[in-house]
Amino acid sequence: MDAHLALAARFEQWAMLGDDPARCPVRNLLDRIGDRWSMLLLAALAGSPRRFSALARAVPDISRRMLTQTLRTLETDGLVHREVEPSVPPRVTYSLTPLGKSFAGPLLALVDWAEAHFGEVEAARARMALAS
Amino acid sequence: MDAHLALAARFEQWAMLGDDPARCPVRNLLDRIGDRWSMLLLAALAGSPRRFSALARAVPDISRRMLTQTLRTLETDGLVHREVEPSVPPRVTYSLTPLGKSFAGPLLALVDWAEAHFGEVEAARARMALAS
DNA sequence: CTGAATCCTATGCGATACTG
DNA sequence: CAGTATCGCATAGGATTCAG
């Protein structure tokens, strides 16, 4: 079955659950990782654990505020593990939990699509810009 | 190769492009469909074309304003086709373009993950709520 | 029926300064 | 080093009204 038909079937199912994000896994997921930084940080942690400052370097344009906040959310959702080494100065290491690693598959699919079809998207934008 | 290792390799590559959304396909994609409604509408259109009001019914909690705006963005990005039937009253039908259908694969992967692991996420939240 | 226009609120997010 | 606290802006997005 084509993916878009399978997707349609899923949509019908969860539409019957109503629009409550607490009940709909998909809405719930989008509310969480549909922000500016979550997926980027999950990708940054995919290879190996990283310390706080290493993450800040890996994603240069995130503020420390949002870095902390996003990591906290990912931690409460069980995607990221936070390890504090009680020393002076403190060292805090973030890593993907098994659950976090399991998300790499879907995320990779998204990344692949973006890279493969970016050109088509840009072409479409150019066409629309001309037509207007 | 495990997905999370492949993902790490990708991350390294696009990190070298810098943080400009205009150059990074992934950032660009997230800026577009990383909102509250885009993926939902793409899923709603996956099965068959739908009229404006049918989409509004399929996603009950979207305002007409955001429905219009989101569809316009998807149209300029080449994911959705907008067909106007010049009658009174007008009938406008939205459908997925081939590019839009090609996105169903990654989107389905995301949906599958959300449904498969929602329980684990809820469990993690419950644990964190207790620990605090 | 399918929008466009306007107004308003909530909040995502950055900037900056401070702390153990 | 790894945060926390506070401020302020820009924007997402809802409610409502008007129009073709």
Side-chain angles (χ1 to χ4, degrees):
Chain A
M1 175 156 59
D2 282 346
H4 71 275
L5 295 182
L7 186 58
R10 295 304 183 83
F11 179 80
E12 297 301 334
Q13 289 177 18
W14 81 59
M16 294 168 55
L17 293 178
D19 50 21
D20 183 6
R23 299 189 115 93
C24 175
V26 178
R27 302 244 183 171
N28 211 293
L29 176 71
L30 289 181
D31 282 353
R32 292 294 180 142
I33 54 84
D35 62 7
R36 201 180 189 130
W37 303 115
S38 294
M39 296 209 204
L40 237 39
L41 290 180
L42 289 175
L45 288 172
S48 64
R50 288 185 197 243
R51 305 235 328 256
F52 184 88
S53 50
L55 280 171
R57 275 191 304 274
V59 186
D61 52 343
I62 193 175
S63 64
R64 289 204 305 272
R65 171 184 151 82
M66 288 314 295
L67 182 53
T68 300
Q69 182 175 306
T70 305
L71 286 168
R72 288 283 193 276
T73 300
L74 292 174
E75 189 193 5
T76 69
D77 284 0
L79 295 170
V80 160
H81 176 65
R82 178 172 180 266
E83 184 89 40
V84 183
E85 188 181 329
S87 58
V88 179
R91 305 164 78 88
V92 181
T93 304
Y94 294 89
S95 55
L96 292 186
T97 62
L99 183 59
K101 283 184 184 172
S102 77
F103 186 66
L107 184 49
L108 180 62
L110 220 59
V111 168
D112 278 342
W113 187 92
E115 294 184 343
H117 299 279
F118 187 46
E120 297 173 62
V121 171
E122 283 188 313
R125 285 178 194 164
R127 273 198 306 278
M128 293 297 295
L130 282 181
S132 71
Chain B
M1 174 155 61
D2 283 346
H4 71 274
L5 294 181
L7 186 59
R10 296 302 184 82
F11 180 80
E12 297 303 332
Q13 289 177 18
W14 82 60
M16 295 169 54
L17 293 178
D19 49 21
D20 183 6
R23 296 190 117 93
C24 174
V26 178
R27 300 241 185 178
N28 210 294
L29 176 71
L30 289 181
D31 282 353
R32 292 295 180 141
I33 52 84
D35 62 6
R36 199 176 192 128
W37 304 115
S38 295
M39 296 210 206
L40 237 38
L41 289 181
L42 289 175
L45 287 172
S48 65
R50 288 185 196 243
R51 304 236 329 257
F52 184 86
S53 49
L55 280 172
R57 274 192 303 275
V59 187
D61 51 343
I62 192 175
S63 65
R64 289 200 307 268
R65 172 183 152 81
M66 290 313 296
L67 181 54
T68 301
Q69 182 176 308
T70 306
L71 285 169
R72 287 284 192 278
T73 300
L74 293 174
E75 189 192 5
T76 70
D77 284 359
L79 295 170
V80 160
H81 175 65
R82 178 172 180 267
E83 184 89 39
V84 182
E85 188 181 327
S87 58
V88 178
R91 305 166 78 87
V92 182
T93 304
Y94 295 90
S95 56
L96 291 186
T97 63
L99 183 59
K101 284 184 183 172
S102 77
F103 186 66
L107 184 48
L108 181 61
L110 221 59
V111 168
D112 278 341
W113 186 92
E115 294 184 343
H117 298 280
F118 186 47
E120 296 174 62
V121 170
E122 283 189 312
R125 286 178 193 164
R127 271 197 307 279
M128 293 298 294
L130 282 182
S132 71

